[in-house]
């Protein structure tokens, strides 16, 4: 066996696991930890003949690791070394080392909490921090502490924050560090020009690298769409003739994946176009050139929308280093980074743990099945976010999988046994109860996989799930489907659906696409959508209140109701990826708990009244609205009061008399007289006390309210009498005229012609003699000439000047030299003479 760097630390690792139940192993890529460590520990005395479980984050890596260990033992996979993953298992009675994909461990612990046949659990590539790895470690620690103190746990990775891990595992946890085996790798930063698409720039860099460098090339891209586009560009480019192109991502068949992993034929080189699947655990023979686009695609959960969304983000520094290291596994290499050195310095150090950014429904139900209603009480490397847990708990309770206390229900146990996301398991269980289990199983398997239809960039896309079900039925019965349908994905869907059907005890039958809408609605009640009226038909509103939209035209827009199980959570309106129509009558029957009626008594400004409306809702969707024929008088009155509170006191039917009266009250109150507070703030706060009794029963508007009497009702009889005395509406002047007072300003104003107050020697006082009236002195033509609150001073100082000015302008009017002794009058001089003559004649 080739001597690898990991061999140097194997004795130390053996001692650590002999003396401790937990250990951490740090070893760079190429050190040999993944394949050498399990084989070395197989005969450890503390293992006592039990199994070693090795957890790998990806199916491809699990198969490759198993094959390599079996090869080192001179055996085939399935003998002493085997693997177990979804839809694929290769183990036997002699198997001692079992490589698992991470989700398998959780199911195994739930089925056998004591793990009697297992002596060691190895978490490989733990730095990737998948949700399943974090959950598996938490449950393993629970088993170790409560049931199996002899169970060993080993965490291995190339890049780890050992300090934070030891805080979780215990400060005495030994940390073993191995040297790496890697060759020098030259790093070249080659950012794309701003106007050049990523794939086109990558094509140029790859072509240049292959012309200048020997060896094969590994290219890292965010996802399958970018891989397909770049493959097309490379096939049209000036590649060296000895180069072949192989994609590598999770959705490929095993045969296609193996082609990418195996060495190129003699005299040939290859370009492997891969997602982050090739970052760790895999050694691809012949690779000495790496071209890294520096992007990765992750599923991010938004508690705001309650939805996952795929997000393309920059890789972390640790991921970039892992990718770069691929070029130096077997010989000196070169790495082209399609970004700048400045951008490299700005990358985050580590990729955030998946538990911080994903849907936690499955995890929460798993832990409830374990017996834990509060996950935050368990030991976690990273605590799950409380907001995500709240969303998950709400959905599981809505599906009937958890009770109000967070305990798993019988239905929860049923869906847990199916071993998939609670939504999909709920769909299948409900489909089985409706004698449509096979369609339910197909639907669930279809939603777990990538789309079976291969879309051509720029071509229109049909999002109808029923079309996919028709294609799957054709594949199942004839195996004849169009070229744009992915055969391998169809095969996996039917295989997985068959497993679930057997677990349900259901027969396979004909797929029924017409049933898909209602079955999906049972699992995705928050994704039932209604077409928004008044739009272009492509926009829908979901029962959770969010919006969703087709990016282009789609035949599904003829349906008012859809269920949208696959959409993103970006922007105001999420993008619809897959949907199926559903009938409103079926929704009313099968989702009756989500339907509710709301009566709204809302103020309508255009009509200046309350409009009572009864609206029928499905979740947050307003389905229909009708006027309430006989509204509740009490609710009408309350709604009127609320309208005044919200829109202000000016909404009330104010008249000039009412405003004048209110001004008088506020004047007296401002100058110390004992009256209730009539400020706007207080009036609004006490509407129930003074306005409500004057709202006419059953009336929808405010115009019939006697606002004057409503305001006066706040005063006693004595207070009203005091108002009339100390803030009168009018004042009688020496001429005998009854002149109104204006209380709108800070001081009451009396606007009167000068001739009418001759003989008035002092300024009148209001508010119990505290406030002098502000007199606006008018000319005979009612034009203001002087403003005074000191009448005596005016007669002495102001009148002589005004007299000079006005006597010439108004010669017909009376302008005495001594206004203090002159007769006040409303008349001209001629009118005064006639009046005096009439009086004299009367005396005779």
């Amino acid at each position: 066996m080739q001597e690898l760097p990991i061999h140097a630390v194997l004795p130390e690792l053996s001692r650590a696991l002999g003396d401790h139940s937990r250990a951490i192993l740090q070893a760079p890529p190429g050190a040999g930890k993944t394949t050498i460590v399990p084989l070395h520990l197989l005969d450890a005395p503390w293992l006592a003949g039990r199994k070693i479980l090795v957890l790998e984050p990806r199916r491809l890596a699990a198969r490759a690791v198993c094959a390599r260990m079996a090869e080192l033992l001179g055996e085939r996979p399935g003998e002493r070394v085997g693997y177990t993953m979804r839809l694929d298992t290769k183990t036997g009675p002699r198997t001692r080392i079992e490589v698992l994909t991470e989700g398998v461990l959780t199911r195994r612990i739930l089925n056998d909490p004591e793990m009697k046949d297992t002596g060691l659990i190895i978490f490989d590539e733990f730095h990737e921090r998948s949700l399943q790895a974090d959950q598996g470690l938490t449950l393993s620690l629970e088993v170790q502490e409560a049931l199996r103190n002899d169970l060993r746990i080993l965490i291995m990775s190339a890049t780890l924050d050992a300090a934070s891990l030891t805080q979780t595992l215990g400060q005495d946890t030994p940390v073993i560090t191995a040297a790496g085996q890697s060759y020098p790798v030259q790093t070249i930063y080659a950012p794309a020009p701003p106007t050049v698409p990523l794939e086109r720039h990558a094509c140029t860099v790859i072509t240049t690298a292959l012309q200048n460098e020997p060896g094969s090339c590994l290219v890292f891209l965010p996802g399958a769409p970018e891989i397909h586009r770049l493959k097309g560009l490379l096939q049209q480019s000036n590649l060296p003739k000895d180069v072949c192109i192989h994609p590598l991502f999770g959705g490929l068949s095993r045969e296609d994946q193996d082609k990418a992993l195996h060495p190129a034929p003699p005299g040939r080189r290859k370009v492997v176009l891969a997602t982050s699947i090739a970052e760790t655990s895999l050694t691809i023979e012949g690779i000495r050139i790496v071209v890294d686009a520096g992007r990765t695609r992750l599923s991010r959960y938004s508690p705001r929308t309650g939805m996952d969304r795929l997000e393309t983000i920059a890789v972390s520094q640790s991921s970039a280093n892992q990718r770069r290291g691929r070029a130096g596994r077997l010989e000196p290499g070169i790495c082209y980074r399609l970004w700048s050195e400045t951008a490299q310095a700005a990358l985050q150090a580590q990729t955030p743990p998946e538990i911080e950014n994903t849907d936690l429904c499955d995890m929460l139900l798993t832990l409830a099945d374990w017996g834990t209603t509060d996950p935050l009480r368990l030991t976690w490397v990273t605590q799950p976010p409380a907001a995500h847990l709240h969303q998950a708990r709400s959905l599981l309770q809505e599906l009937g999988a958890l009770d109000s206390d967070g305990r798993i229900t019988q239905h929860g146990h049923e869906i847990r046994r199916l071993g998939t996301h609670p939504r999909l398991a709920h769909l299948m269980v409900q489909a089985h109860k409706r004698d449509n289990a096979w369609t339910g199983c197909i639907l669930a398997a279809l939603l777990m996989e990538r789309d079976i239809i291969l879309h051509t960039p720029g071509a229109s896309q049909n999002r109808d799930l029923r079309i996919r079900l028709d294609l799957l039925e054709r594949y199942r019965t004839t195996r004849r489907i169009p070229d744009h349908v992915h055969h391998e994905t169809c095969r996996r869907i039917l295989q997985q659906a068959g497993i679930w059907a057997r677990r349900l005890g259901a027969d396979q039958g004909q797929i029924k696409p017409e049933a898909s809408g209602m079955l999906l609605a049972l699992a995705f009640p928050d994704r039932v959508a209604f077409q928004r009226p008044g739009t272009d038909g492509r926009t829908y509103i979901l029962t959770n209140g969010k919006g969703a939209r087709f990016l282009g035209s789609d035949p599904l827009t003829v349906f008012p109701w859809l269920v949208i199980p696959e959409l993103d959570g970006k922007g105001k309106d999420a993008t619809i990826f897959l949907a199926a129509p559903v009938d409103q009558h079926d929704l009313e029957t099968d989702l009756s708990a989500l339907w509710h009626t709301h009566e709204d008594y809302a103020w309508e400004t255009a009509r200046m009244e309350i409009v009572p409306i009864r609206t029928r809702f499905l979740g947050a969707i307003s389905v229909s609205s009708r006027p309430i024929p006989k509204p509740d008088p009490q609710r009408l009155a309350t709604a009127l009061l609320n309208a005044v509170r919200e829109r202000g006191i000016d909404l009330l039917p104010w008249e000039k008399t009412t405003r004048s009266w209110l001004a008088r009250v506020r004047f007296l109150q401002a100058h110390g007289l004992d009256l209730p507070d009539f400020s706007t703030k207080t009036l609004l706060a006490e509407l129930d006390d003074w306005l409500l009794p004057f709202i006419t029963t059953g009336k929808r508007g405010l115009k019939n309210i006697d606002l004057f009497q409503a305001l006066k009702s706040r005063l006693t009889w004595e207070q009203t009498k005091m108002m009339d005395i100390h803030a009168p509406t009018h004042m009688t002047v020496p001429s005998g005229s009854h002149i109104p007072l204006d209380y709108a300003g800070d001081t009451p104003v009396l606007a009167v012609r000068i001739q009418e107050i001759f003989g008035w020697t002092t300024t009148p006082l209001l508010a119990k003699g505290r406030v002098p009236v502000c007199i606006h002195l008018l000319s005979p033509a009612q034009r203001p000439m002087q403003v005074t609150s000191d009448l005596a001073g005016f007669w002495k100082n102001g009148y002589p000047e005004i007299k000079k000015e006005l006597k010439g302008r108004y010669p017909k009017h009376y302008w005495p030299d001594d206004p203090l002794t002159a007769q006040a009058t409303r008349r001209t001089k001629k009118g005064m003479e006639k009046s005096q003559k009439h009086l004299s004649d009367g005396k005779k």
Side-chain angles (χ1 to χ4, degrees):
M1 182 184 297
Q2 178 188 359
E3 188 72 18
L4 293 170
I6 196 68
H7 286 98
V9 299
L10 291 178
E12 182 184 359
L13 177 62
S14 296
R15 287 193 298 272
L17 287 172
D19 298 336
H20 300 82
S21 61
R22 304 166 186 176
I24 298 169
L25 173 61
Q26 292 185 114
K33 62 183 181 304
T34 301
T35 53
I36 301 303
V37 167
L39 294 175
H40 172 75
L41 296 174
L42 196 55
D43 296 322
W46 46 263
L47 195 59
R50 291 187 290 255
K51 277 187 177 182
I52 297 174
L53 304 183
V54 181
L55 269 72
E56 292 294 333
R58 297 179 179 85
R59 298 160 58 90
L60 179 61
R63 281 199 302 268
V65 166
C66 174
R68 178 57 179 160
M69 284 193 284
E71 180 185 3
L72 291 174
L73 291 174
E75 300 175 354
R76 291 179 299 177
E79 296 183 43
R80 277 188 290 174
V81 182
Y83 64 78
T84 300
M85 61 191 74
R86 185 175 68 88
L87 302 181
D88 193 5
T89 298
K90 187 162 287 189
T91 60
R94 295 177 56 221
T95 300
R96 293 279 314 287
I97 299 174
E98 190 174 357
V99 186
L100 312 177
T101 47
E102 292 166 337
V104 175
L105 175 64
T106 297
R107 291 194 294 274
R108 191 162 292 186
I109 291 175
L110 290 177
N111 292 333
D112 178 18
E114 291 189 41
M115 302 283 286
K116 293 178 180 177
D117 66 344
T118 301
L120 170 64
I121 303 175
I122 299 176
F123 291 83
D124 193 25
E125 307 297 354
F126 191 75
H127 70 276
E128 295 197 15
R129 296 299 306 281
S130 72
L131 174 63
Q132 291 287 2
D134 276 21
Q135 177 180 282
L137 178 58
T138 291
L139 289 177
S140 299
L141 293 173
E142 284 278 294
V143 169
Q144 192 182 62
E145 292 175 3
L147 302 171
R148 286 280 313 281
N149 57 13
D150 61 333
L151 178 67
R152 262 62 170 188
I153 295 173
L154 174 61
I155 296 178
M156 302 196 307
S157 181
T159 55
L160 269 180
D161 181 359
S164 64
L165 262 179
T166 53
Q167 288 181 357
T168 302
L169 302 180
Q171 294 295 337
D172 61 339
T173 303
V175 178
I176 297 97
T177 301
Q181 175 173 293
S182 61
Y183 293 88
V185 176
Q186 180 186 1
T187 303
I188 298 176
Y189 290 92
T195 58
V196 178
L198 173 67
E199 293 88 353
R200 187 164 295 281
H201 178 60
C203 179
T204 302
V205 172
I206 293 164
T207 304
T208 302
L210 289 171
Q211 289 171 346
N212 297 331
E213 298 285 339
S216 293
C217 179
L218 173 61
V219 184
F220 286 100
L221 294 161
E226 292 83 358
I227 287 174
H228 289 307
R229 288 195 292 269
L230 180 55
K231 181 181 178 182
L233 291 171
L234 287 170
Q235 289 171 335
Q236 299 169 14
S237 68
N238 188 27
L239 279 179
K241 297 190 181 300
D242 64 340
V243 173
C244 50
I245 304 169
H246 295 288
L248 180 61
F249 54 88
L252 291 175
S253 67
R254 184 189 299 187
E255 291 74 20
D256 287 336
Q257 290 178 344
D258 288 343
K259 288 177 183 176
L261 295 177
H262 291 160
R268 303 277 291 172
R269 296 188 291 167
K270 62 182 178 181
V271 174
V272 179
L273 308 178
T275 61
S276 56
I277 194 172
E279 270 185 28
T280 56
S281 300
L282 299 173
T283 297
I284 304 174
E285 297 290 337
I287 296 295
R288 65 169 303 277
I289 305 168
V290 166
V291 176
D292 186 2
R295 312 292 286 172
T296 188
R297 189 160 292 137
L298 300 175
S299 178
R300 297 292 183 93
Y301 179 74
S302 168
R304 179 183 64 83
T305 63
M307 293 183 282
D308 281 320
R309 67 182 187 276
L310 280 176
E311 193 171 298
T312 302
I313 63 171
V315 296
S316 64
Q317 291 188 10
S318 63
S319 290
N321 290 334
Q322 290 269 13
R323 295 177 175 191
R324 176 181 177 275
R326 300 280 109 182
R329 278 290 184 93
L330 304 174
E331 58 181 307
I334 187 168
C335 173
Y336 294 85
R337 287 177 169 169
L338 306 187
W339 64 92
S340 66
E341 287 190 78
T342 302
Q344 168 68 20
L347 296 178
Q348 59 184 340
Q350 301 280 346
T351 304
E354 189 182 12
I355 198 170
E356 295 181 348
N357 297 296
T358 196
D359 176 13
L360 300 182
C361 274
D362 188 48
M363 185 199 82
L364 191 62
L365 187 61
T366 297
L367 296 177
D369 196 8
W370 179 252
T372 299
T373 58
D374 183 5
L376 298 180
R377 294 182 178 178
L378 300 178
T379 301
W380 296 94
V381 178
T382 300
Q383 288 269 45
H388 294 38
L389 287 173
H390 174 73
Q391 290 274 10
R393 187 174 290 107
S394 297
L395 176 62
L396 291 171
Q397 289 172 341
E398 188 175 355
L399 297 178
L402 296 181
D403 64 18
S404 58
D405 295 322
R407 293 188 296 265
I408 192 168
T409 63
Q410 180 57 40
H411 180 60
H413 283 298
E414 289 181 40
I415 65 179
R416 266 297 308 153
R417 282 195 289 270
L418 289 172
T420 188
H421 191 282
R423 284 190 191 268
L424 303 182
H426 177 76
L427 184 157
M428 290 185 281
V429 170
Q430 293 298 325
H432 188 33
K433 291 177 180 177
R434 289 162 171 75
D435 297 323
N436 208 353
W438 181 237
T439 301
C441 292
I442 291 289
L443 262 177
L446 173 61
L447 293 174
M448 277 188 63
E449 287 285 352
R450 52 174 291 197
D451 194 357
I452 64 172
I453 297 177
L454 302 173
H455 297 289
T456 303
S460 61
Q461 300 179 12
N462 191 307
R463 303 300 190 179
D464 195 338
L465 267 163
R466 298 172 304 170
I467 293 174
R468 278 84 174 160
L469 294 179
D470 278 331
L471 289 168
L472 285 164
E473 179 65 12
R474 286 171 58 186
Y475 179 82
R476 185 179 76 91
T477 54
T478 68
R479 291 297 190 268
R480 294 178 182 175
I481 52 177
D483 292 338
H484 67 275
V485 179
H486 197 272
H487 288 236
E488 174 62 20
T489 306
C490 291
R491 184 193 66 78
R492 287 200 303 269
I493 288 171
L494 291 172
Q495 183 183 4
Q496 180 62 70
I499 292 172
W500 283 331
R502 288 191 293 275
R503 289 178 185 173
L504 287 169
D507 296 329
Q508 298 184 18
Q510 185 176 4
I511 301 171
K512 300 175 183 176
E514 69 279 2
S516 59
M518 195 57 236
L519 292 178
L520 288 167
L522 295 169
F524 296 87
D526 53 331
R527 311 281 178 86
V528 175
F530 186 57
Q531 203 166 43
R532 273 185 175 146
T535 63
D536 57 6
R538 294 185 296 174
T539 306
Y540 288 74
I541 183 169
L542 305 171
T543 51
N544 63 12
K546 309 303 177 185
R549 181 177 178 82
F550 290 104
L551 286 183
S553 60
D554 195 288
L556 282 172
T557 55
V558 301
F559 296 99
W561 288 97
L562 297 176
V563 188
I564 311 172
E566 191 170 319
L567 71 174
D568 68 18
K570 295 180 181 177
K572 179 183 176 183
D573 292 326
T575 300
I576 299 171
F577 294 134
L578 288 176
V582 63
D583 184 73
Q584 181 174 329
H585 174 74
D586 292 336
L587 293 172
E588 291 171 340
T589 302
D590 290 326
L591 292 183
S592 57
L594 291 184
W595 289 87
H596 64 281
T597 301
H598 177 70
E599 293 186 350
D600 187 32
Y601 287 66
W603 177 261
E604 189 173 298
T605 302
R607 294 166 60 172
M608 291 298 289
E609 66 179 17
I610 297 297
V611 179
I613 296 291
R614 181 178 289 120
T615 305
R616 194 160 180 248
F617 286 89
L618 175 61
I621 300 172
S622 171
V623 180
S624 62
S625 296
R626 292 181 176 85
I628 300 173
K630 294 182 178 180
D632 181 351
Q634 184 175 353
R635 291 195 63 182
L636 275 174
T638 301
L640 285 170
L641 294 182
N642 288 337
V644 175
R645 289 189 185 99
E646 292 169 5
R647 289 163 178 78
I649 204 81
D650 287 338
L651 193 64
L652 293 169
W654 292 94
E655 295 179 353
K656 185 176 180 180
T657 303
T658 310
R659 290 192 182 278
S660 177
W661 182 90
L662 182 60
R664 292 165 59 209
V665 176
R666 288 174 171 172
F667 161 69
L668 291 176
Q669 186 184 26
H671 291 89
L673 275 73
D674 185 19
L675 290 171
D677 183 5
F678 274 81
S679 66
T680 298
K681 180 179 179 181
T682 299
L683 289 176
L684 287 173
E686 298 178 0
L687 285 174
D688 288 352
D689 298 329
W690 65 271
L691 185 61
L692 182 59
F694 288 84
I695 294 178
T696 307
T697 302
K699 294 295 181 181
R700 303 183 183 189
L702 295 165
K703 61 184 178 181
N704 294 319
I705 294 175
D706 189 341
L707 182 58
F708 184 47
Q709 290 301 321
L711 289 167
K712 284 185 69 175
S713 70
R714 302 188 76 231
L715 300 183
T716 63
W717 182 87
E718 290 81 6
Q719 288 170 330
T720 302
K721 208 60 181 156
M722 180 178 66
M723 272 189 64
D724 293 340
I725 296 170
H726 298 293
T729 59
H730 292 71
M731 183 167 284
T732 303
V733 297
S735 68
S737 294
H738 204 47
I739 307 295
L741 285 157
D742 183 359
Y743 291 86
D746 294 335
T747 303
V749 172
L750 180 72
V752 60
R753 288 181 297 179
I754 295 174
Q755 284 84 1
E756 294 201 54
I757 61 169
F758 290 156
W760 218 1
T761 58
T762 58
T763 305
L765 300 174
L766 299 177
K768 292 187 177 182
R770 300 171 187 174
V771 182
V773 174
C774 181
I775 302 174
H776 288 205
L777 297 163
L778 309 177
S779 71
Q782 302 286 344
R783 292 188 178 93
M785 302 304 298
Q786 184 85 22
V787 174
T788 183
S789 294
D790 178 11
L791 200 54
F794 167 72
W795 294 132
K796 180 179 180 181
N797 302 313
Y799 177 72
E801 293 299 321
I802 287 179
K803 173 188 170 186
K804 291 178 186 178
E805 179 184 345
L806 298 182
K807 188 174 183 179
R809 194 185 304 173
Y810 301 100
K812 295 180 180 182
H813 289 267
Y814 180 44
W815 300 102
D817 292 332
D818 185 4
L820 296 176
T821 59
Q823 179 186 347
T825 181
R826 295 190 293 267
R827 297 181 172 88
T828 60
K829 287 189 289 186
K830 188 174 181 178
M832 290 176 66
E833 291 172 359
K834 286 182 179 180
S835 176
Q836 288 173 354
K837 184 175 183 302
H838 178 74
L839 288 172
S840 298
D841 292 343
K843 287 178 181 180
K844 292 179 180 179

